[in-house]
Amino acid sequence: MTTDSGTKGEQAMNWQDKGPATAAIRAGEPRSAQGEHSEALYLTSSFVFESAAQAAARFAGDEPGNVYARYTNPTVSTFEQRLALMEGTEAAVGTSSGMAAILSTCMALLQQGDHIIASRNIFGSTTVLFNKYLGRFGVDVTYVDLTDLDAWAAAFTPRTRLLFAETPSNPLNDVVDIRQLADLAHAHDAWLAIDNCFCTPILQRPAEYGADLVIHSATKFIDGQGRAMGGAVCGRQEQIEEVVGFLRSAGPTMSPFNAWVFLKGLETLQVRMRAHSEHAMQLARWLQQHSMVETVHYCGLPEHPGHALASRQQSGFGGVLSFVVRGGQPAAWHVIDATQFLSITANLGDAKTTITHPATTTHGRLSDEDKVAAGIEPGLIRVAVGLEDPEDIQQDLARGLDSL
Ligand SMILES: *Cc1c(COP(=O)(O)O)cnc(C)c1O
């Protein structure tokens, strides 16, 4: 991770001493002999050797170097090095999607009989993965309210190996104290994994607060323009080696092409996350004063229960907010359908603003009781605020809100 990405190869830079934006733009594998300025895209599945002896040494792991892109690829390695530096972890590994990152973490680090404690409001597919698939292999999960530390503490069994949380939560922006959760995990010989998709390392670095594993869907803010699927797991060297071991045998590795797209995404991540946060703050304030809006859930607002903690733990409040309109589901659907350019889609982290009705889409599988418990009201709308002019985003929402 001290490689110089410049042609001035004699000067080995230590990117660890630099800020996250610098690492995101400069760190990685050395330039090729062509002296390209933008990172090379190594769209190759295999690598050639100088001799049979070298091939044997590479296969045996006696000599470092690339063998096959399911194991390593220089474009993917550059992405991994940058992300690890940005998260402040020893290592990172790219995966084919965010779900592949979560699956690979569990497959590599858990075994039959292990127990997971997870926050209730995690990403829907993560819940399906845990309940339907890990359950089949004898790993079971207990769900608790993200912010209820007593419930986390009470859920431990002698078999608990992993705590899994998303903070801020989707879509209500609840925030948990990562340090307290990490201490709790470590007191029970368990690991804490944080899905850091909403914040990215620009706004929150969970490892600084003791999280053992930081998981990403690169599909979201890291790409930032809704193009490619990918994910990553960041953590200590020995853990990441285990995850790499699973990936190279099982195959959900990151494509070099996608890694190249994500590299370009990382280069602008800092300015984008600041802009997403600013736009979301502006929209939250505007929604708050609208007579047809009952509540706004955004941890940037001083009234939000997680505001003080988010102010300490995060360096920005992020681009996702939700709000409840008066009039329940018909009113929410009216506001969504009245928009002219906001995209009706559950994706997030895009330059394009997206709008979702959680109760009938992302959280549609929950029973009515569970929806109430999770705060997924019929009138709730989630907006992943993009990079369009904030006034235009407001106007597009005002069309429906003003005509309710
Ligand atoms: C999208 C998402 C995932 C899954 O990522 P994919 O790249 O879609 O597989 C996991 N966690 C969170 C919080 C997400 O938003």
Side-chain angles (χ1 to χ4, degrees):
M1 225 166 278
T2 52
T3 45
D4 185 339
S5 75
T7 39
K8 298 169 282 181
E10 67 284 350
Q11 189 200 346
M13 293 289 298
N14 189 356
W15 301 110
Q16 247 131 0
D17 301 340
K18 304 280 186 274
T22 307
I25 292 169
R26 291 283 175 179
E29 293 296 313
R31 288 197 169 95
S32 83
Q34 302 296 333
E36 69 283 350
H37 192 205
S38 175
E39 293 67 19
L41 167 51
Y42 291 96
L43 204 54
T44 178
S45 47
S46 69
F47 299 84
V48 295
F49 312 106
E50 294 296 329
S51 64
Q54 189 185 44
R58 290 269 180 96
F59 270 85
D62 296 337
E63 182 188 296
N66 298 300
V67 173
Y68 190 57
R70 179 151 40 75
Y71 304 173
T72 57
N73 174 285
T75 311
V76 179
S77 300
T78 294
F79 169 78
E80 294 167 341
Q81 290 170 34
R82 286 184 182 180
L83 190 64
L85 283 161
M86 294 171 76
E87 285 289 0
T89 56
E90 286 175 11
V93 61
T95 58
S96 58
S97 68
M99 289 319 303
I102 299 170
L103 170 71
S104 304
T105 302
C106 294
M107 293 301 280
L109 300 175
L110 299 179
Q111 58 187 4
Q112 190 179 24
D114 284 349
H115 174 243
I116 300 173
I117 311 173
S119 53
R120 212 181 300 280
N121 256 341
I122 51 176
F123 189 66
S125 299
T126 310
T127 313
V128 177
L129 172 68
F130 284 175
N131 295 351
K132 181 168 178 191
Y133 295 100
L134 291 188
R136 275 187 202 167
F137 297 95
V139 173
D140 60 324
V141 188
T142 304
Y143 295 96
V144 295
D145 282 350
L146 176 69
T147 56
D148 187 349
L149 280 164
D150 292 337
W152 286 93
F156 277 92
T157 77
R159 299 178 292 106
T160 306
R161 284 294 306 280
L162 184 69
L163 273 54
F164 189 98
E166 289 171 22
T167 179
S169 74
N170 177 27
L172 300 184
N173 264 233
D174 289 333
V175 182
V176 73
D177 191 319
I178 298 173
R179 168 67 66 194
Q180 285 182 2
L181 219 47
D183 289 347
L184 198 58
H186 299 157
H188 290 83
D189 266 336
W191 284 318
L192 173 64
I194 297 288
D195 181 334
N196 202 25
C197 168
F198 270 42
C199 277
T200 81
I202 297 299
L203 302 185
Q204 172 172 278
R205 293 164 31 117
E208 270 179 10
Y209 305 109
D212 303 279
L213 296 151
V214 183
I215 292 177
H216 280 286
S217 167
T219 316
K220 312 292 171 55
F221 287 105
I222 289 178
D223 175 321
Q225 294 179 56
R227 297 161 294 193
M229 301 282 309
V233 188
C234 312
R236 286 187 289 278
Q237 191 72 39
E238 56 177 326
Q239 296 170 309
I240 298 306
E241 273 169 20
E242 291 295 325
V243 179
V244 167
F246 173 78
L247 284 165
R248 47 188 287 168
S249 302
T253 39
M254 178 175 278
S255 118
F257 182 85
N258 291 5
W260 187 87
V261 172
F262 298 138
L263 282 179
K264 298 292 113 182
L266 288 181
E267 292 184 5
T268 58
L269 190 59
Q270 177 156 291
V271 287
R272 286 188 292 109
M273 290 314 290
R274 285 179 181 168
H276 280 294
S277 300
E278 267 173 39
H279 290 191
M281 193 67 209
Q282 223 172 307
L283 188 66
R285 288 233 160 88
W286 176 80
L287 285 165
Q288 244 186 341
Q289 54 73 50
H290 199 286
S291 60
M292 291 314 289
V293 174
E294 248 169 50
T295 338
V296 182
H297 301 285
Y298 184 57
C299 61
L301 294 172
E303 298 80 10
H304 189 279
H307 178 69
L309 177 55
S311 305
R312 289 201 306 275
Q313 188 165 273
Q314 304 169 206
S315 64
F317 301 109
V320 183
L321 61 77
S322 61
F323 60 99
V324 180
V325 293
R326 297 186 199 287
Q329 175 179 328
W333 280 24
H334 171 79
V335 171
I336 292 170
D337 290 341
T339 58
Q340 284 188 321
F341 71 85
L342 299 199
S343 314
I344 307 176
T345 168
N347 196 27
L348 60 97
D350 199 299
K352 298 180 171 74
T353 299
T354 68
I355 188 164
T356 322
H357 185 241
T360 52
T361 59
T362 51
H363 294 68
R365 274 185 302 263
L366 298 184
S367 68
D368 286 349
E369 278 160 37
D370 286 348
K371 279 181 201 167
V372 171
I376 310 299
E377 296 180 47
L380 186 75
I381 293 174
R382 190 195 74 185
V383 177
V385 187
L387 304 179
E388 304 97 335
D389 291 302
E391 299 73 21
D392 293 330
I393 302 171
Q394 283 171 22
Q395 261 180 30
D396 217 25
L397 286 167
R399 298 167 57 79
L401 284 171
D402 293 349
S403 58
L404 273 173

